[in-house]
Amino acid sequence: MRWAGQQLDAEVPGTLPGLGSIAGLVRSVTTPEFQGVTFHEVLARSALNSVPGSGLPFNWTVNPYRGCTHACRYCFARPTHKYLELDEGLDFDRQIVVKTNVADVLRRELARPSWGGEQVALGTNTDPYQRAEGRYRLLPGIISALAESGTPLSILTKGTLLRRDLPLLQEAAEQVPVGIGVSLALADEELRRRLEPGVPSVRGRLDLIRAVREADLPCGVMVAPVLPWLTDSADHLDHLFGQLASAGATGVTTLVLHLRPGVKPWFMKWLAEDHPDLVKRYESLYAHGPNAAPSYRNAFESKVRPLLEKHGFGTSSHRNTNNVVEASGQGSFSGWGEPTARFRSRRSSPAPFNTSTTHRHRPAPVPATIPEPDQQPLF
């Protein structure tokens, strides 16, 4: 959603900072079911975001929410709340912007003759299946709009609420390639509670992977972020990859912790409280930018490649040189969940459109947008 061109002469009283003069803001809502959380319902003027040349396996995204109640201390999207004059800490966790009309706007954009039918990714910024989705139910409309327009789609999530939409995703897979990725990096449940308190349990997400596979859909896994000296040991990764293989994961992407400006202070505050002995090591490791030092990344790559292959995830490869190692399984290139034409539902007919690489990555001329400030590359 673009915020430009939505100005009014007078501010609307009682709105959150930075949104008082935006015509799209309808109301702010609090409910007993979401203690401490405020939902800011807005009317979006656009749904598709163009992100060409980002190094990601897609050029288009849809983000129905801004902010996320998963409350992951390491979340790369935290700085995007600054564009709303909110902070990257508790505001990001508790002040959630909801684009209530996003499905209707998306349908209009997909109906334009110049739409090229490229893959559209969901879950690349904040999680589309965070708890708010249980209240607003935006994803069914989005999934239907994409499938009915002949647009391939992928979803990356930590939210077990995705199980609600598996029948709809099965139907969509009969029309277009559908890919699903589940984010799961912490096999230690106690560490998960402290570091990503709003995220479903490890067991819940392993069960989600099984459910996706039982629905005859591919399911890659994003093992991200890998935390230096906390979750990067060979034993931890070996155990986690074994669980993923047992659950039926069709591909894995590993990504070492990335600490961009705005995220680093929030994460380091947590580290100082929970693991003060690691603070100096992290300061040294991330002294020269958001990526871990090259020596660490190289050593991690050497360690993770044979472990991925051990658990049947194929020959690992790079997407770029920054700290990404990926391994394909049976039907998915990676943990991003990008769809592949060769893994369509057994019930489906051949795809009615060109799914070649040239087609999927050709910048489409519609809509005429610039990337949102909240849609930044992960690495």
Side-chain angles (χ1 to χ4, degrees), residues 73-148:
R73 298 300 291 254
Y74 51 75
C75 182
F76 75 95
R78 286 185 174 277
T80 64
H81 250 42
K82 292 179 66 177
Y83 294 98
L84 306 179
E85 298 180 20
L86 297 167
D87 69 49
E88 305 99 324
L90 293 180
D91 282 348
F92 182 84
D93 303 337
R94 299 177 181 178
Q95 304 285 341
I96 311 300
V97 177
V98 184
K99 303 174 187 179
T100 56
N101 66 333
V102 65
D104 291 335
V105 174
L106 178 62
R107 285 185 184 275
R108 292 198 296 269
E109 293 177 337
L110 296 173
R112 296 176 182 175
S114 50
W115 170 241
E118 298 185 73
Q119 177 198 339
V120 171
L122 303 167
T124 62
N125 190 51
T126 52
D127 200 313
Y129 282 105
Q130 59 179 285
R131 288 182 60 215
E133 175 60 16
R135 172 184 173 88
Y136 288 98
R137 299 183 64 87
L138 301 181
L139 268 294
I142 293 172
I143 292 167
S144 295
L146 292 168
E148 291 166 10

Side-chain angles (χ1 to χ4, degrees), residues 317-350:
S317 63
H318 280 296
R319 188 175 297 282
N320 70 11
T321 59
N322 273 343
N323 50 359
V324 180
V325 179
E326 300 182 327
S328 300
Q330 299 176 7
S332 179
F333 288 134
S334 69
W336 293 98
E338 69 259 43
T340 64
R342 61 187 167 88
F343 199 98
R344 293 171 60 75
S345 169
R346 288 190 291 268
R347 299 170 296 174
S348 64
S349 57

Side-chain angles (χ1 to χ4, degrees), residues 275-295:
H275 299 277
D277 56 310
L278 293 179
V279 170
K280 288 185 177 180
R281 299 179 76 179
Y282 268 74
E283 288 176 345
S284 175
L285 188 62
Y286 290 92
H288 301 292
N291 293 315
S295 58

Side-chain angles (χ1 to χ4, degrees), residues 1 7 22 51 85 158 169 176 206 316:
M1 170 179 166
Q7 301 296 318
I22 295 174
V51 287
E85 298 180 20
K158 294 177 181 176
L169 288 164
V176 298
L206 288 171
S316 52

